[in-house]
Amino acid sequence: MKLIILGAGGHGKVVADIAQQINKYEEIFFLDDLLQGNDILGKCKEYTKFKDEDVEMYPAFGNNRTRIEWEEKLENYGIKLAKIVHPLAYISPLSTIDDGCVVMPYAIINTNVKIAKGCIINCGAIIDHDCILNKGCHLAPGAIVKGENILPEYMKVDSGEVISLGMYK
């Protein structure tokens, strides 16, 4: 299996690092509009050249709406989205995470959590029981979402921010 990451900036580098650690991918490459290098195959708009049943892609864009737009473009073209979960994250077996998400080290995803596509759960972020993160949410490092919250699409919870129990319904 190959992984192609769209965007070779900071987030893309982190995703590639985690992808190497999970040993799912034999090769990891990038598409990027600005940067060049041996592991950059071309520009993002050239993604159609690399469609293959043995390829997953992940759009590593920090802008939540842009990331979702790219995920939808990839899916509409029949390209499988990657789901990248660091082995040091805790994920309750009673929770679900859609494709197109990345979960970083020491994140905690507790019981009955549902994470929609295109979410970023950064280092040390905590999502307590019975929460729903709608598409394109981003929990920055150390963000906390207490139980029984339904976060709206594209919401960012910044580092150190705490969303109180049931604040978003």
Side-chain angles (χ1 to χ4, degrees):
M1 176 76 61
K2 293 179 188 170
L3 174 64
I4 298 177
I5 300 168
L6 284 74
H11 183 51
K13 290 176 191 175
V14 170
V15 170
D17 180 40
I18 294 170
Q20 288 174 343
Q21 294 176 51
I22 62 176
N23 295 317
K24 178 180 178 182
Y25 302 101
E26 296 164 15
E27 297 178 286
I28 299 170
F29 297 103
F30 293 93
L31 295 175
D32 195 281
D33 293 343
L34 301 175
L35 301 174
Q36 295 180 349
N38 292 338
D39 54 353
I40 297 176
L41 300 175
K43 304 232 180 267
C44 293
K45 67 182 176 186
E46 298 175 294
Y47 70 95
T48 58
K49 293 181 183 178
F50 304 100
K51 178 182 176 182
D52 187 281
E53 64 183 37
D54 197 39
V55 171
E56 293 182 349
M57 293 190 189
Y58 177 82
F61 305 115
N63 180 291
N64 294 340
R65 289 185 189 275
T66 301
R67 189 171 59 258
I68 290 297
E69 287 169 8
W70 270 99
E71 287 196 359
E72 289 171 353
K73 188 184 301 189
L74 294 170
E75 283 184 315
N76 289 339
Y77 195 71
I79 295 172
K80 180 156 175 46
L81 296 175
K83 175 172 38 177
I84 312 289
V85 178
H86 194 281
L88 293 178
Y90 169 75
I91 315 292
S92 166
L94 300 176
S95 292
T96 59
I97 302 170
D98 285 352
D99 290 340
C101 292
V102 63
V103 181
M104 298 189 189
Y106 302 107
I108 297 172
I109 299 172
N110 219 336
T111 306
N112 295 325
V113 170
K114 292 178 178 46
I115 300 177
K117 75 176 181 175
C119 290
I120 299 171
I121 313 302
N122 218 310
C123 301
I126 299 171
I127 308 166
D128 204 2
H129 65 89
D130 302 302
C131 288
I132 297 172
L133 275 63
N134 284 296
K135 71 180 179 181
C137 287
H138 177 183
L139 273 56
I144 299 173
V145 179
K146 292 184 177 181
E148 302 172 14
N149 276 291
I150 301 172
L151 299 189
E153 293 179 354
Y154 313 115
M155 182 174 184
K156 181 173 183 188
V157 182
D158 217 341
S159 293
E161 189 174 349
V162 178
I163 303 296
S164 298
L165 178 76
M167 181 180 225
Y168 290 88
K169 290 283 186 174

